[in-house]
Amino acid sequence: MVRLTVDLIAKSSSCLKNKGNGSLAQYLKKVTHLNFSNRNIEDIGDLSACRNLSVVYLYDNQIKQICNLNYASNLTHLYMQNNDITQIENLSAARKLCTLYLGGNSIMVVEGLERLRELKELHLEGQKLPQGEKLLFDPRTLLSLSESLCVLNISNNNIDEIRDLVILRSLTHFFATNNQLQDMQELEVVCSQWPQLCRMDLSGNPACHKPKYRDRLITVCKRLVDLDGKEINELSRQFLINWKASKDARKKMKEERLRTAQMVRPFPEEAPAVLKTNSESQDRACANKWREDEKAGREVLCERADATGDGCLQKPRDAELCDSCQHFLHATVHTD
């Protein structure tokens, strides 16, 4: 088993090159960057002598546990992607940590980051999860990152919902490709609560095939400049925003008309009978009221038709009723 220790650091080319005539203790005290990526390392030993470490590269190894970093109060960047880590732990002392890479591990729950109030980037893509499982989020961790986290990468983690992430109001970059997101309404609600979001990639999710997918997200994300790798120009955004506003206004107007109609006719089932009665009475009243049509010569015109401008209610001079009135009178006699 290869273990990262002070002795291994002492044998590294970086140490031999930069130590000079000073002692190993002096070198370890002043070293700020440590790069032991792709060295088959399985464990992290005692590195407390390296108290000024700010950047550590340990990606592409076989590390199973994050440990022995309690001393690292100056650590700002930690790269531990593509290892065998199953749990996020032992990072509470790294209060200055702002960038954390943990993609390609076997983490099932995003947790243990409650003390990292300055964390701005969190990369968790491609966890090696059991069949049918998805990456989960501890609400306490999300709450602690709500004001600081700007970049979140959770691609390839079988995630089917993101409503718990709505609390991350400082997000500027969100990457969730190749998951199982399909609820467009949820996406709109969550993304609308990220006012600083400027880049987002959701390609490879079922939602991408929904009608108006791109238009709907561009409309709710006011600062988005790139969606799924495609740039968004301001002219297109403004057009979509205006289109949505117009659509919402028409919908509101329609709803107001329906409410008004319900107030005027509180009992809709009775309205047709009332209208029919009024119409039949009106036709009866006009049936015997005729005048000669000056233009028609040999025809006369129903006064009701004359008032409404309906010239089709003409009849021959020797007829008794107009066709329309006769129709309603026959209907009345039949129903009686």
Side-chain angles (χ1 to χ4, degrees), residues 68-248:
N68 289 323
L69 292 177
N70 293 330
Y71 66 90
S73 58
N74 293 312
L75 191 64
T76 59
H77 294 69
L78 179 59
Y79 299 82
M80 296 189 73
Q81 63 268 37
N82 301 325
N83 280 282
D84 296 321
I85 299 168
T86 59
Q87 186 175 359
I88 305 174
E89 57 186 340
N90 300 320
L91 289 174
S92 57
R95 302 291 181 88
K96 296 181 181 180
L97 192 65
C98 62
T99 301
L100 178 59
Y101 280 80
L102 289 172
N105 282 286
S106 300
I107 298 167
M108 293 186 64
V109 182
V110 182
E111 59 184 348
L113 303 175
E114 290 78 18
R115 302 258 181 112
L116 307 186
R117 298 304 178 99
E118 295 186 27
L119 191 66
K120 295 186 180 302
E121 290 191 38
L122 180 58
H123 299 264
L124 296 160
E125 70 284 359
Q127 297 301 315
K128 293 169 279 190
L129 302 169
Q131 184 69 28
E133 297 293 333
K134 64 180 179 179
L135 185 65
L136 301 174
F137 300 86
D138 185 334
R140 294 170 297 182
T141 284
L142 292 177
L143 180 61
S144 67
L145 300 178
S146 61
E147 299 297 328
S148 65
L149 196 66
C150 298
V151 180
L152 178 62
N153 188 344
I154 53 173
S155 299
N156 295 283
N157 282 310
N158 203 33
I159 294 171
D160 57 4
E161 61 179 20
I162 58 170
R163 60 173 63 109
D164 292 342
L165 306 182
V166 70
I167 196 173
L168 303 176
R169 293 183 57 82
S170 295
L171 277 186
T172 59
H173 295 65
F174 180 61
F175 307 102
T177 63
N178 300 315
N179 281 298
Q180 300 299 321
L181 300 173
Q182 57 182 335
D183 189 336
M184 276 303 303
Q185 186 174 1
E186 179 189 81
L187 287 175
E188 287 180 288
V189 170
V190 173
C191 293
S192 67
Q193 298 302 309
W194 294 339
Q196 307 302 322
L197 190 67
C198 61
R199 295 186 182 276
M200 178 165 63
D201 196 342
L202 301 177
S203 55
N205 283 277
C208 297
H209 304 292
K210 295 293 181 72
K212 303 291 184 182
Y213 154 77
R214 188 174 176 86
D215 294 351
R216 291 169 68 175
L217 290 181
I218 291 175
T219 302
V220 298
C221 301
K222 300 297 191 284
R223 295 194 177 185
L224 200 63
V225 297
D226 189 287
L227 176 59
D228 300 345
K230 296 180 181 179
E231 187 177 350
I232 302 166
N233 63 64
E234 193 57 35
L235 185 62
S236 297
R237 185 206 314 282
Q238 198 56 51
F239 170 80
L240 290 172
I241 290 174
N242 293 340
W243 170 80
K244 185 177 185 300
S246 176
K247 181 180 178 182
D248 292 343

Side-chain angles (χ1 to χ4, degrees), residues 268-280:
E269 66 278 2
E270 297 181 6
V274 174
L275 291 175
K276 183 177 179 181
T277 302
N278 290 342
S279 179
E280 290 175 353

